[in-house]
Amino acid sequence: MRARRCGPLLGLVVASASALTPPLAAGASSDWDCQRKSGNGAWNCGSATPLPHRPTPKNQDSGIELGEEPAPPAADNGAARPGSDPEDRPELLNSRAPFDTPEARGEPAKAKVAGWSCVPSLDEGPDRGWSCSLSGRDPRGLAHVVSEAGEATENWAQSSSITREDEDRFENMMSKLPANPWQRSCAPKVGKRRPPPMAEFLLSPGEKLAREKAPVDIHSDYFELIDGEVSNFNGSAEMVKADQRLWADYITRNLKNNAVNVHGNVTYQEKGMILSSDSGFMDGESDRGVFRNSQFILPAVPGRGTSRLTHIDSNTLSRYETASYTTCPTGNQDWVLHADKLKINKETGTGTAQSAWFEFMDVPFLYAPYMDFPIDNRRVSGLLSPSIGGNSASGAIVRVPYYLNIAPNFDDTIQPSYFSKRGFMLRNEFRYLTEYSRGRLVGDILPYDQLAESTKGTGQEIPTTRGQVGWTNDAKISENISSRIQANWVSDPYYLNQLGSPLAIVDYRNIPSSATLNYNSPIGPVNAIANYFQTIDPSIPKDQYPYFYLPKVSHFFGHNILDSGLQFSNESQMAYIQADSNEMTMGQRFLIRPKLSYPIETSAAFFRPSATLAFNQYTLQSPQFWSGLQQSLGVNTTAGTSENFTVPILSMDSGTYFDREFPLGDRAMQQTIEPRLFYVYIPTVNQQNIPLFDTTSYDFTYYQLFRENRFAGYDRIGDANELTAAVTSRLIDQTTGIERLRATLGNQFYFQRREVTPVGLPPDTYAQTFSNIVGDVYGGITENWSVYTAGQYNPSLNSIERGQVGLQYNNRQNQLLNVAYRYRRNQYTDTCLPNDLGQNYYTNNFGCLNLTDVSMRLPILAGWYAIGRWQYSILDDVTTESFFGFERETCCWRFTLLGRRYLNTIESDGTAQSNNAVFMQLELKGLTTLGDEVDKFLERSVSGYRFSDY
C-alpha cells in the first residue's frame, strides 16, 4: 500500500541567451471586432469571445519585489530610451511599490464591477451601437453575481481558493497545450490498469538532450540594452529554448549574472507543465526565484493548482504559500486540496504541507495540521487514506492505516481499527523482498471482543481475544528450484464471517495452509507439497473433514519417440494422506500413469488415439486402528490394510472442421460446423474398499463429455464403454471477428452399465443407455446485448435435469444488466426438497438449485448510476444475497454507497444467519481513495464489471 501523489511539482528553467532575433508579433491578440465611431471617439464592439483577464498585481509583502511596469515607448520614434525601463537592480527588487496600480500613481482605487458594462454610444440614427467593456470573466449569458455599484472586487491575488480570475488564466493556458489532458480521464475507462500519460506531455531522452544543447531565442516588439549588461524586452516578449517557452509583457535580463525579471501576463511552458503568473524573478546563478500569484497545470497527471507566492529555492526544492490543488478539469472545483504552506523536494521524492485541508463540494471534510506525501513512485512513510464502513455483526468500522517505509526492500503497514460493537483491533502487514524470496506476514489481534461475553453458555462461545495470522513466501532457491509457502490460522470458527480477512482465503469453511517445492529436472518436473486444513465450519461432521498431504511428491515425464509422432508420458506420485480426525481412514498412496498417444492433426481434422495404464497401491489405517493407537502406545504403527488396482484406459478423440462464407445484409459472415466423436473404454475394476482421499465426481457439463475419467482425483477410475457425439456451430462476423451465434449439442451412448460409483451410491444409479443431452446457445444480439441459454435433458426420465437462461447488457463502459435463472435437480436422488438452509440442505438437496439472479450498474441521471444485485432461492424461499446503492462519477471523483444483506454464517445446528453491511468509497482521481474494497466487491458480484485503476 502506498500513499499517492497529492501535491504539485513546479519548476522553471530560464537559460542564457545566445542569439537575438528580430521582433516577432507574438502573444495574445484581441478577438474583439471593435471599430471607433466617428464623431465622439467611442468604440463600437461586436463579439462575445472573452479576452484573457489580466489583473494588476496587488501589493504583497514578500521581501522581494519584481520590478515596475514599463511605459510603452513613445509613438514618435520607436527607439527605446535608456533608463526608461526598470533594470535588474537590488534597490528596485526590494521596493514594495506595486508595478502599475492607481496607488502607485497617487490615484484613488476605482471600484470594478464584474461582467459586462455597456452604455449606448453617442451616435444618433438607426446604426447607433453600444460602448462595452468587460471586467473579469465573460459570463456568456449565464447567471452570475456582480458587484454593487461602487463595490470593489476581492483581492483575488491573495485568495486562499481558486477564483474566477484563476479559472480565466487556466482557460488561456489550456489553449496553449497541444491536447486537452483531461480528455482521456473524463472518458469512460474499463480495465485494471491506469492508461499511460499522453505522449504530448512526456519528455523523451532525446528531447531532454536537445534542451541542454539548444540556444535561447528571444523575441519582442521592443528591445534595449543598458550599459552592455542589462537587456530589456518589452511588448509580447517571448523566450524559447527547445520545448521551453516563456511569455511576458516585459522581460529584463542581466547578462552578467543571468538574472531574469519578468512581469505582466507571465506564462512558462515545457513538456509536462505550464505555469502562469503576474510576475517572477529567477537568479540564473543559484537557480533561485520567486513567482507571484501563479497558476500551474500538470497535464501528465492531469492536475492543476494555484500558489499565491512560489519560491524556487533550487532545482530540487520549491515552496508554495497559500496553495490549492485539484485534478478536476478547468472550471470544475468539486474537490480541492488547500495548504497554507507546501514544500516539494524532488531529491527525496516527498512533499510536506502545513495547515492542509480537503474540500469536497465546497464542504471541508478533512484537516491536517501537518501531512507528508510522495510526489513520485518512491515509497514514503506516512498515513494512508482511512476507510469507513460497517455491518450488523460489528457495527460501524473505521480504519486508519499508517505506512512505514523501513528499507528499499522492507515495509510495514500498521492499521488500527475500531468496531463500535466489539472494540479496537490492530492489523499489521509486513512485506519483504530479498535476493531469493519475497513475501508478506499479516496478522490481526482483537485483544478484547465486547460481544464475546454474550456468547458464553450458548454452545457457540467466542473467545474474548481473537485474531488471525497469515504468511506467504515465494522463493527462487536456484535456477531450477522454487518454493511457495502459504500458512493461515484463525482463532475461532466465526472470525472470518464477522471480522473479515486480508488474506487470500476463498473457502470460509476450511482454512488452507500449504508448502510447495518445485524442481525442474532434466527428466521432467518434480513437485512436493505438504498442506493442512483448519476446519472452522461447525456444520461439517468430523467424519467429513478434508484430507491433507504430509507430503505428496509427483513427477511428470513426456517425450516424443524418435520423431515418429508417437508420444510417451508418465505421471507418478507418492502421498502420505492424513486427516484432522481419528474417525476417518488414512494411509499412503503410490500411483503411476504411463501413457502412449499418436496425435494426427491437420487444419481441417484431428485424430488422437491414446492408451493409458493406471496403477494405484495403498496402505490404509482404519479408524479402529487409530482408536487402538490412542489407547496403547505399544501398537505397531506400520500395521494396516494393503489395497491396489490396475486399470487400462483406451480412448480415441476425433473431429473435423467445415466452414463457409456468405453475406448477411451488408456484413460478411462465416459459418462453421464442427462435429466431434470421442470414444473411451475402461474395464470395470472393484474399487469400493478404497477411500476417497482427494476424489469427487466431475459436474456433468458439455466439457465432461470429452474426459476419459468421470472422477476428479486419483482414487477412482470410472469404468466406461461409451461414445460421445457432439457438434458445434458458429456464426462469425468476419469484419470484427465477434461470434454472433454459437450453438453446441452433445450426448453420450453407454454400451454397458457403469459399475464404479462414489462411496455410498448403488451401481444402478448409472443404469441408463444415454447420458443427458447437453446443449447451449449463445447469441450476440447487438454489440451490447447478448443472450445465453444452456440445459440438460434426461431422456430416461423425460425431464429437464438442469437449465439456465441469461440476458446481459454490457457496453464495455461498466454499464451492465444481468438477468439469469438457474435450475438443477439433485445429482443422485432426482429430488429437491424445499427446506431451510443447513445440514439437510447439503444432504437431501445435494446439488439442487432453483434461483433467480439479477445484477446491474445502470445510469439513472447525468453521472449517477444505480448498482444492485438480488439473488433469490425459490427452493428455500429466501434471499441469499442482495445489495443496492448509488454511484456518482465525474472526471475527477467517484462516490459509491452500497447497502448489503447476505447469508454468511452456518451454525452447528444447520441454521443460517444473515448479515447487513454498508460500503462507502470516495475516490479523488489522481490523488487518493477513501475505501478501496467496493470495486473488488463489485467485480466479484456483478458479472462483466471491471474496475479501473486511475
Side-chain angles (χ1 to χ4, degrees):
M1 300 176 69
R2 301 177 182 175
R4 300 184 67 181
R5 177 167 58 193
C6 56
L9 302 178
L10 301 181
L12 179 63
V13 179
V14 180
S16 301
S18 61
L20 297 177
T21 60
L24 178 66
S29 60
S30 175
D31 291 330
W32 287 99
D33 183 12
C34 296
Q35 297 180 356
R36 187 182 297 274
K37 302 294 291 185
S38 61
N40 57 10
W43 289 93
N44 189 12
C45 302
S47 173
T49 304
L51 287 174
H53 180 57
R54 298 173 177 175
T56 302
K58 302 296 181 180
N59 184 17
Q60 300 187 38
D61 187 6
S62 68
I64 300 180
E65 283 298 331
L66 308 178
E68 234 177 0
E69 177 73 18
D76 54 355
N77 54 18
R81 293 174 294 173
S84 62
D85 292 322
E87 303 175 12
D88 185 20
R89 302 193 301 270
E91 60 269 22
L92 180 61
L93 295 177
N94 292 329
S95 172
R96 293 173 179 256
F99 298 130
D100 186 15
T101 63
E103 292 83 358
R105 296 190 296 267
E107 303 174 3
K110 296 181 179 180
K112 296 181 180 179
V113 178
W116 285 101
S117 176
C118 296
V119 296
S121 66
L122 300 179
D123 291 345
E124 301 292 340
D127 297 332
R128 184 180 184 184
W130 291 87
S131 180
C132 301
S133 63
L134 174 66
S135 176
R137 180 190 300 179
D138 182 2
R140 300 182 182 180
L142 301 178
H144 64 289
V145 178
V146 297
S147 302
E148 297 286 345
E151 180 183 349
T153 59
E154 66 171 336
N155 186 357
W156 69 280
Q158 294 180 351
S159 174
S160 60
S161 61
I162 301 177
T163 66
R164 293 184 305 165
E165 287 77 7
D166 290 320
E167 294 288 4
D168 287 336
R169 288 193 175 181
F170 281 124
E171 290 183 3
N172 294 333
M173 295 159 66
M174 288 288 291
S175 66
K176 296 181 180 295
L177 296 177
N180 186 341
W182 277 273
Q183 182 176 359
R184 184 176 300 183
S185 64
C186 291
K189 292 182 288 296
V190 179
K192 293 188 177 182
R193 296 296 179 187
R194 178 185 179 185
M198 302 174 70
E200 294 90 336
F201 308 120
L202 297 178
L203 187 67
S204 66
E207 291 172 328
K208 184 177 181 180
L209 182 62
R211 177 190 290 183
E212 297 175 354
K213 297 182 178 181
V216 174
D217 292 334
I218 304 180
H219 310 270
S220 66
D221 294 338
Y222 304 96
F223 161 72
E224 67 176 351
L225 182 65
I226 303 175
D227 297 331
E229 180 178 341
V230 177
S231 55
N232 293 327
F233 303 88
N234 186 22
S236 302
E238 179 183 13
M239 295 182 64
V240 181
K241 182 182 181 183
D243 65 298
Q244 299 171 302
R245 289 177 176 268
L246 175 66
W247 295 273
D249 291 341
Y250 179 83
I251 300 178
T252 180
R253 181 167 170 271
N254 193 312
L255 300 178
K256 185 175 181 179
N257 59 19
N258 200 25
V260 177
N261 190 3
V262 294
H263 61 79
N265 303 304
V266 179
T267 302
Y268 171 75
Q269 181 180 8
E270 65 176 28
K271 267 203 168 183
M273 189 195 72
I274 183 170
L275 179 144
S276 180
S277 178
D278 285 345
S279 56
F281 170 77
M282 285 294 296
D283 185 348
E285 299 296 332
S286 61
D287 292 325
R288 300 185 63 185
V290 178
F291 291 88
R292 288 189 178 279
N293 191 30
S294 57
Q295 298 79 26
F296 59 89
I297 296 177
L298 307 174
V301 175
R304 62 190 181 97
T306 62
S307 173
R308 301 311 175 194
L309 188 59
T310 302
H311 301 269
I312 307 297
D313 295 334
S314 66
N315 286 331
T316 60
L317 184 63
S318 54
R319 294 176 291 116
Y320 311 90
E321 298 182 15
T322 315
S324 301
Y325 178 75
T326 182
T327 60
C328 296
T330 303
N332 186 313
Q333 299 178 31
D334 286 348
W335 74 262
V336 182
L337 169 65
H338 302 279
D340 288 350
K341 293 184 179 180
L342 187 70
K343 181 164 63 175
I344 303 295
N345 191 328
K346 297 181 181 179
E347 184 176 0
T348 61
T350 60
T352 58
Q354 298 180 22
S355 298
W357 72 97
F358 286 95
E359 283 186 3
F360 182 70
M361 307 303 290
D362 297 327
V363 177
F365 72 95
L366 182 64
Y367 172 81
Y370 177 86
M371 63 180 296
D372 57 1
F373 48 87
I375 60 174
D376 51 30
N377 292 330
R378 285 177 284 184
R379 302 191 308 270
V380 178
S381 298
L383 287 173
L384 302 178
S385 300
S387 61
I388 302 172
N391 56 57
S392 57
S394 300
I397 304 172
V398 179
R399 295 185 174 97
V400 183
Y402 183 85
Y403 178 79
L404 184 61
N405 184 31
I406 302 174
N409 58 331
F410 296 99
D411 64 10
D412 192 83
T413 302
I414 304 171
Q415 181 175 277
S417 304
Y418 175 72
F419 300 81
S420 61
K421 292 184 178 180
R422 299 185 182 276
F424 287 93
M425 183 179 74
L426 182 64
R427 172 173 294 172
N428 189 81
E429 179 184 4
F430 174 74
R431 300 188 304 176
Y432 58 91
L433 177 65
T434 67
E435 183 179 358
Y436 300 104
S437 66
R438 64 178 179 181
R440 68 170 188 158
L441 180 63
V442 181
D444 290 353
I445 183 170
L446 184 64
Y448 181 77
D449 190 341
Q450 299 173 4
L451 295 180
E453 295 292 338
S454 62
T455 64
K456 291 185 178 180
T458 63
Q460 302 173 9
E461 289 83 359
I462 297 176
T464 55
T465 301
R466 312 174 68 186
Q468 64 179 325
V469 177
W471 178 41
T472 302
N473 181 81
D474 293 290
K476 185 73 172 180
I477 301 173
S478 68
E479 183 67 24
N480 297 318
I481 302 177
S482 61
S483 67
R484 179 176 179 83
I485 297 175
Q486 288 182 304
N488 304 303
W489 174 85
V490 296
S491 61
D492 58 85
Y494 310 100
Y495 188 91
L496 298 181
N497 286 321
Q498 294 176 353
L499 298 171
S501 173
L503 310 175
I505 296 177
V506 178
D507 186 356
Y508 277 19
R509 306 179 69 196
N510 300 288
I511 307 302
S513 297
S514 64
T516 306
L517 183 66
N518 304 310
Y519 172 54
N520 292 324
S521 72
I523 57 173
V526 179
N527 304 306
I529 180 173
N531 64 353
Y532 176 78
F533 294 93
Q534 180 189 2
T535 302
I536 62 173
D537 190 341
S539 66
I540 300 178
K542 288 189 175 182
D543 60 353
Q544 296 182 17
Y545 277 15
Y547 286 98
F548 47 85
Y549 307 116
L550 289 176
K552 178 179 74 174
V553 181
S554 305
H555 172 259
F556 180 83
F557 171 78
H559 197 270
N560 293 327
I561 300 177
L562 300 176
D563 295 330
S564 62
L566 188 64
Q567 297 179 355
F568 173 77
S569 63
N570 179 66
E571 181 181 5
S572 57
Q573 183 187 111
M574 295 185 64
Y576 189 80
I577 304 173
Q578 299 291 294
D580 198 13
S581 172
N582 290 335
E583 300 179 11
M584 302 172 63
T585 299
M586 309 175 204
Q588 299 83 41
R589 180 182 66 197
F590 169 76
L591 62 88
I592 58 173
R593 297 285 191 273
K595 180 178 182 179
L596 281 174
S597 62
Y598 190 80
I600 303 173
E601 299 190 16
T602 67
S603 60
F606 65 89
F607 179 64
R608 306 185 189 113
S610 67
T612 306
L613 183 67
F615 173 77
N616 283 32
Q617 173 70 48
Y618 296 85
T619 300
L620 304 176
Q621 288 82 38
S622 65
Q624 291 79 11
F625 167 80
W626 294 111
S627 299
L629 181 62
Q630 287 182 333
Q631 297 174 3
S632 175
L633 296 177
V635 173
N636 183 4
T637 58
T638 61
T641 303
S642 179
E643 299 285 348
N644 67 81
F645 64 80
T646 303
V647 181
I649 304 172
L650 302 176
S651 68
M652 289 180 289
D653 192 5
S654 61
T656 58
Y657 179 89
F658 303 95
D659 68 331
R660 70 182 183 100
E661 299 178 358
F662 66 97
L664 183 63
D666 59 347
R667 293 182 176 273
M669 308 297 292
Q670 181 186 36
Q671 181 188 9
T672 70
I673 298 179
E674 306 163 38
R676 185 175 179 182
L677 291 175
F678 178 75
Y679 174 77
V680 60
Y681 174 76
I682 304 174
T684 302
V685 175
N686 185 7
Q687 303 163 48
Q688 291 299 314
N689 293 332
I690 296 173
L692 299 179
F693 289 132
D694 54 8
T695 301
T696 186
S697 298
Y698 278 116
D699 187 21
F700 189 78
T701 64
Y702 178 80
Y703 301 101
Q704 171 62 19
L705 298 175
F706 306 100
R707 287 192 175 101
E708 293 179 335
N709 189 13
R710 60 179 176 270
F711 297 102
Y714 298 95
D715 300 313
R716 286 291 184 276
I717 303 295
D719 55 336
N721 186 7
E722 56 201 30
L723 176 67
T724 296
V727 63
T728 299
S729 182
R730 311 174 197 269
L731 195 62
I732 303 172
D733 188 332
Q734 289 190 293
T735 303
T736 61
I738 298 176
E739 281 186 354
R740 294 298 180 184
L741 182 66
R742 183 186 69 247
T744 62
L745 189 65
N747 185 231
Q748 279 183 338
F749 175 75
Y750 305 124
F751 294 97
Q752 66 183 39
R753 193 175 84 167
R754 296 176 293 172
E755 301 288 341
V756 178
T757 67
V759 174
L761 293 177
D764 59 1
T765 302
Y766 294 89
Q768 51 186 338
T769 304
F770 292 95
S771 72
N772 293 342
I773 299 175
V774 183
D776 65 71
V777 177
Y778 166 83
I781 304 174
T782 66
E783 295 294 331
N784 300 328
W785 286 94
S786 62
V787 63
Y788 176 79
T789 180
Q792 294 185 22
Y793 173 73
N794 189 325
S796 300
L797 300 177
N798 191 26
S799 65
I800 297 176
E801 294 293 305
R802 63 174 65 186
Q804 173 181 345
V805 60
L807 178 69
Q808 183 181 67
Y809 171 80
N810 185 350
N811 68 349
R812 281 75 178 174
Q813 296 178 6
N814 274 343
Q815 296 182 14
L816 304 160
L817 174 64
N818 302 289
V819 181
Y821 170 75
R822 301 179 182 91
Y823 169 79
R824 183 172 60 197
R825 294 168 62 92
N826 193 305
Q827 297 183 32
Y828 302 120
T829 65
D830 296 326
T831 58
C832 289
L833 303 177
N835 54 13
D836 294 332
L837 290 176
Q839 283 185 315
N840 293 334
Y841 181 85
Y842 296 110
T843 55
N844 296 340
N845 290 341
F846 184 83
C848 285
L849 196 66
N850 190 6
L851 60 81
T852 59
D853 195 349
V854 179
S855 60
M856 66 174 181
R857 182 184 184 268
L858 294 175
I860 51 177
L861 295 173
W864 284 92
Y865 291 84
I867 306 174
R869 183 182 184 184
W870 180 41
Q871 188 180 79
Y872 177 74
S873 174
I874 301 175
L875 177 66
D876 302 290
D877 191 23
V878 64
T879 296
T880 57
E881 179 170 4
S882 63
F883 64 83
F884 187 77
F886 297 94
E887 183 173 80
R888 175 75 166 95
E889 184 168 9
T890 69
C891 294
C892 55
W893 61 270
R894 184 163 64 105
F895 174 78
T896 308
L897 180 65
L898 292 177
R900 183 189 181 199
R901 182 177 178 85
Y902 57 100
L903 298 175
N904 73 324
T905 304
I906 305 297
E907 305 296 347
S908 57
D909 60 357
T911 61
Q913 290 186 353
S914 61
N915 196 1
N916 299 321
V918 176
F919 296 92
M920 188 273 287
Q921 177 172 292
L922 175 61
E923 177 183 352
L924 305 181
K925 296 183 180 180
L927 183 73
T928 187
T929 299
L930 181 62
D932 58 357
E933 296 299 324
V934 175
D935 277 327
K936 299 177 183 178
F937 169 73
L938 292 178
E939 191 171 43
R940 293 192 306 265
S941 304
V942 180
S943 177
Y945 183 86
R946 297 292 181 268
F947 72 86
S948 301
D949 183 12
Y950 292 96

Short mmCIF file of all heavy atoms in Angstrom, two decimals, residues 643-671:
data_model
loop_
_atom_site.label_atom_id
_atom_site.label_comp_id
_atom_site.label_asym_id
_atom_site.label_seq_id
_atom_site.Cartn_x
_atom_site.Cartn_y
_atom_site.Cartn_z
N GLU A 643 -4.21 -52.32 -0.30
CA GLU A 643 -5.15 -52.37 -1.41
C GLU A 643 -4.45 -51.85 -2.66
O GLU A 643 -3.57 -51.00 -2.59
CB GLU A 643 -6.40 -51.52 -1.12
CG GLU A 643 -7.20 -51.95 0.08
CD GLU A 643 -8.01 -53.21 -0.17
OE1 GLU A 643 -8.12 -53.62 -1.36
OE2 GLU A 643 -8.53 -53.78 0.80
N ASN A 644 -4.89 -52.35 -3.82
CA ASN A 644 -4.35 -51.84 -5.07
C ASN A 644 -5.32 -52.16 -6.20
O ASN A 644 -6.20 -53.00 -6.05
CB ASN A 644 -2.97 -52.43 -5.37
CG ASN A 644 -3.03 -53.91 -5.65
OD1 ASN A 644 -3.35 -54.34 -6.76
ND2 ASN A 644 -2.73 -54.73 -4.62
N PHE A 645 -5.15 -51.47 -7.32
CA PHE A 645 -5.91 -51.80 -8.54
C PHE A 645 -5.10 -51.35 -9.75
O PHE A 645 -4.25 -50.44 -9.66
CB PHE A 645 -7.29 -51.14 -8.55
CG PHE A 645 -7.29 -49.62 -8.57
CD1 PHE A 645 -7.09 -48.93 -9.75
CD2 PHE A 645 -7.51 -48.90 -7.41
CE1 PHE A 645 -7.10 -47.55 -9.78
CE2 PHE A 645 -7.53 -47.53 -7.43
CZ PHE A 645 -7.32 -46.84 -8.62
N THR A 646 -5.36 -52.02 -10.86
CA THR A 646 -4.73 -51.70 -12.15
C THR A 646 -5.83 -51.61 -13.20
O THR A 646 -6.61 -52.55 -13.37
CB THR A 646 -3.70 -52.76 -12.55
OG1 THR A 646 -2.71 -52.89 -11.51
CG2 THR A 646 -3.02 -52.39 -13.86
N VAL A 647 -5.88 -50.50 -13.91
CA VAL A 647 -6.94 -50.25 -14.87
C VAL A 647 -6.34 -49.71 -16.17
O VAL A 647 -5.63 -48.70 -16.13
CB VAL A 647 -7.98 -49.25 -14.33
CG1 VAL A 647 -9.10 -49.04 -15.35
CG2 VAL A 647 -8.54 -49.72 -13.00
N PRO A 648 -6.60 -50.36 -17.33
CA PRO A 648 -6.19 -49.77 -18.61
C PRO A 648 -7.25 -48.78 -19.10
O PRO A 648 -8.45 -48.95 -18.84
CB PRO A 648 -6.10 -50.99 -19.53
CG PRO A 648 -7.08 -51.96 -18.96
CD PRO A 648 -7.11 -51.73 -17.47
N ILE A 649 -6.79 -47.78 -19.84
CA ILE A 649 -7.68 -46.76 -20.39
C ILE A 649 -7.35 -46.58 -21.87
O ILE A 649 -6.21 -46.27 -22.22
CB ILE A 649 -7.52 -45.41 -19.66
CG1 ILE A 649 -7.76 -45.56 -18.15
CG2 ILE A 649 -8.45 -44.36 -20.24
CD1 ILE A 649 -7.44 -44.32 -17.35
N LEU A 650 -8.34 -46.81 -22.73
CA LEU A 650 -8.19 -46.62 -24.16
C LEU A 650 -9.16 -45.54 -24.62
O LEU A 650 -10.34 -45.56 -24.25
CB LEU A 650 -8.47 -47.92 -24.92
CG LEU A 650 -7.60 -49.13 -24.54
CD1 LEU A 650 -8.08 -50.36 -25.30
CD2 LEU A 650 -6.14 -48.84 -24.84
N SER A 651 -8.67 -44.60 -25.43
CA SER A 651 -9.55 -43.53 -25.90
C SER A 651 -9.16 -43.10 -27.30
O SER A 651 -8.00 -43.25 -27.72
CB SER A 651 -9.50 -42.32 -24.96
OG SER A 651 -8.23 -41.69 -25.01
N MET A 652 -10.13 -42.58 -28.04
CA MET A 652 -9.92 -42.02 -29.37
C MET A 652 -10.77 -40.76 -29.50
O MET A 652 -11.98 -40.80 -29.26
CB MET A 652 -10.31 -43.03 -30.46
CG MET A 652 -9.37 -44.21 -30.58
SD MET A 652 -9.87 -45.37 -31.86
CE MET A 652 -11.34 -46.08 -31.10
N ASP A 653 -10.11 -39.67 -29.83
CA ASP A 653 -10.78 -38.38 -29.98
C ASP A 653 -10.59 -37.92 -31.42
O ASP A 653 -9.46 -37.90 -31.93
CB ASP A 653 -10.20 -37.36 -29.01
CG ASP A 653 -11.05 -36.11 -28.90
OD1 ASP A 653 -12.13 -36.07 -29.50
OD2 ASP A 653 -10.62 -35.16 -28.21
N SER A 654 -11.68 -37.53 -32.09
CA SER A 654 -11.59 -37.13 -33.49
C SER A 654 -12.59 -36.02 -33.76
O SER A 654 -13.61 -35.88 -33.08
CB SER A 654 -11.87 -38.32 -34.41
OG SER A 654 -13.19 -38.81 -34.21
N GLY A 655 -12.27 -35.20 -34.77
CA GLY A 655 -13.16 -34.12 -35.13
C GLY A 655 -12.78 -33.53 -36.46
O GLY A 655 -11.65 -33.70 -36.95
N THR A 656 -13.70 -32.84 -37.08
CA THR A 656 -13.49 -32.16 -38.35
C THR A 656 -13.99 -30.73 -38.26
O THR A 656 -14.70 -30.35 -37.31
CB THR A 656 -14.20 -32.89 -39.51
OG1 THR A 656 -15.60 -32.96 -39.22
CG2 THR A 656 -13.65 -34.30 -39.67
N TYR A 657 -13.64 -29.96 -39.29
CA TYR A 657 -13.97 -28.53 -39.29
C TYR A 657 -14.43 -28.15 -40.70
O TYR A 657 -13.70 -28.34 -41.68
CB TYR A 657 -12.74 -27.71 -38.89
CG TYR A 657 -12.95 -26.23 -38.89
CD1 TYR A 657 -13.42 -25.57 -37.75
CD2 TYR A 657 -12.68 -25.46 -40.02
CE1 TYR A 657 -13.60 -24.20 -37.74
CE2 TYR A 657 -12.86 -24.09 -40.02
CZ TYR A 657 -13.33 -23.46 -38.87
OH TYR A 657 -13.51 -22.10 -38.87
N PHE A 658 -15.67 -27.66 -40.79
CA PHE A 658 -16.22 -27.19 -42.07
C PHE A 658 -16.64 -25.73 -41.90
O PHE A 658 -17.16 -25.35 -40.84
CB PHE A 658 -17.44 -28.03 -42.49
CG PHE A 658 -17.17 -29.50 -42.60
CD1 PHE A 658 -17.45 -30.34 -41.53
CD2 PHE A 658 -16.63 -30.04 -43.76
CE1 PHE A 658 -17.21 -31.70 -41.62
CE2 PHE A 658 -16.38 -31.39 -43.85
CZ PHE A 658 -16.67 -32.23 -42.79
N ASP A 659 -16.44 -24.94 -42.93
CA ASP A 659 -16.88 -23.56 -42.86
C ASP A 659 -17.27 -23.06 -44.24
O ASP A 659 -16.88 -23.63 -45.27
CB ASP A 659 -15.81 -22.66 -42.26
CG ASP A 659 -14.60 -22.52 -43.18
OD1 ASP A 659 -14.32 -23.46 -43.94
OD2 ASP A 659 -13.94 -21.46 -43.15
N ARG A 660 -18.07 -22.01 -44.25
CA ARG A 660 -18.45 -21.35 -45.49
C ARG A 660 -18.64 -19.88 -45.20
O ARG A 660 -18.97 -19.47 -44.08
CB ARG A 660 -19.74 -21.94 -46.05
CG ARG A 660 -21.01 -21.63 -45.27
CD ARG A 660 -22.24 -22.29 -45.85
NE ARG A 660 -23.45 -21.93 -45.13
CZ ARG A 660 -24.32 -21.00 -45.55
NH1 ARG A 660 -24.08 -20.34 -46.68
NH2 ARG A 660 -25.40 -20.74 -44.84
N GLU A 661 -18.44 -19.04 -46.23
CA GLU A 661 -18.61 -17.61 -46.12
C GLU A 661 -19.83 -17.18 -46.92
O GLU A 661 -20.08 -17.70 -48.01
CB GLU A 661 -17.36 -16.88 -46.61
CG GLU A 661 -16.12 -17.23 -45.81
CD GLU A 661 -14.87 -16.53 -46.35
OE1 GLU A 661 -15.01 -15.80 -47.37
OE2 GLU A 661 -13.79 -16.71 -45.78
N PHE A 662 -20.57 -16.22 -46.38
CA PHE A 662 -21.76 -15.73 -47.07
C PHE A 662 -22.07 -14.33 -46.56
O PHE A 662 -21.72 -13.96 -45.44
CB PHE A 662 -22.95 -16.67 -46.84
CG PHE A 662 -23.42 -16.70 -45.42
CD1 PHE A 662 -24.49 -15.92 -45.00
CD2 PHE A 662 -22.79 -17.51 -44.47
CE1 PHE A 662 -24.92 -15.94 -43.69
CE2 PHE A 662 -23.22 -17.54 -43.16
CZ PHE A 662 -24.29 -16.75 -42.76
N PRO A 663 -22.73 -13.52 -47.39
CA PRO A 663 -23.11 -12.18 -46.94
C PRO A 663 -24.42 -12.23 -46.17
O PRO A 663 -25.33 -12.99 -46.49
CB PRO A 663 -23.25 -11.40 -48.26
CG PRO A 663 -23.65 -12.44 -49.25
CD PRO A 663 -22.98 -13.73 -48.82
N LEU A 664 -24.52 -11.40 -45.15
CA LEU A 664 -25.75 -11.25 -44.39
C LEU A 664 -26.02 -9.75 -44.30
O LEU A 664 -25.47 -9.05 -43.46
CB LEU A 664 -25.62 -11.86 -43.00
CG LEU A 664 -26.89 -11.83 -42.13
CD1 LEU A 664 -28.00 -12.64 -42.79
CD2 LEU A 664 -26.60 -12.36 -40.72
N GLY A 665 -26.87 -9.27 -45.22
CA GLY A 665 -27.06 -7.83 -45.33
C GLY A 665 -25.80 -7.21 -45.90
O GLY A 665 -25.30 -7.59 -46.96
N ASP A 666 -25.24 -6.25 -45.16
CA ASP A 666 -24.01 -5.60 -45.59
C ASP A 666 -22.79 -6.16 -44.86
O ASP A 666 -21.72 -5.55 -44.89
CB ASP A 666 -24.10 -4.10 -45.35
CG ASP A 666 -24.36 -3.76 -43.88
OD1 ASP A 666 -24.71 -4.69 -43.12
OD2 ASP A 666 -24.23 -2.58 -43.51
N ARG A 667 -22.93 -7.31 -44.20
CA ARG A 667 -21.83 -7.88 -43.45
C ARG A 667 -21.38 -9.20 -44.07
O ARG A 667 -22.20 -9.98 -44.57
CB ARG A 667 -22.22 -8.14 -41.98
CG ARG A 667 -22.47 -6.87 -41.19
CD ARG A 667 -22.81 -7.18 -39.74
NE ARG A 667 -22.97 -5.98 -38.95
CZ ARG A 667 -21.98 -5.35 -38.32
NH1 ARG A 667 -20.75 -5.85 -38.40
NH2 ARG A 667 -22.20 -4.27 -37.62
N ALA A 668 -20.07 -9.43 -43.99
CA ALA A 668 -19.50 -10.70 -44.44
C ALA A 668 -19.45 -11.64 -43.26
O ALA A 668 -18.80 -11.35 -42.25
CB ALA A 668 -18.10 -10.50 -45.03
N MET A 669 -20.12 -12.77 -43.36
CA MET A 669 -20.23 -13.72 -42.26
C MET A 669 -19.56 -15.03 -42.62
O MET A 669 -19.38 -15.37 -43.80
CB MET A 669 -21.70 -13.97 -41.91
CG MET A 669 -22.52 -12.72 -41.66
SD MET A 669 -21.94 -11.77 -40.24
CE MET A 669 -22.36 -12.88 -38.90
N GLN A 670 -19.20 -15.77 -41.58
CA GLN A 670 -18.61 -17.10 -41.74
C GLN A 670 -19.35 -18.06 -40.82
O GLN A 670 -19.50 -17.80 -39.63
CB GLN A 670 -17.12 -17.10 -41.40
CG GLN A 670 -16.46 -18.46 -41.55
CD GLN A 670 -15.02 -18.46 -41.08
OE1 GLN A 670 -14.69 -17.81 -40.10
NE2 GLN A 670 -14.16 -19.19 -41.77
N GLN A 671 -19.81 -19.18 -41.40
CA GLN A 671 -20.49 -20.20 -40.61
C GLN A 671 -19.60 -21.43 -40.53
O GLN A 671 -18.99 -21.83 -41.54
CB GLN A 671 -21.83 -20.58 -41.23
CG GLN A 671 -22.58 -21.64 -40.42
CD GLN A 671 -23.81 -22.16 -41.13
OE1 GLN A 671 -24.02 -21.87 -42.30
NE2 GLN A 671 -24.61 -22.94 -40.42
#
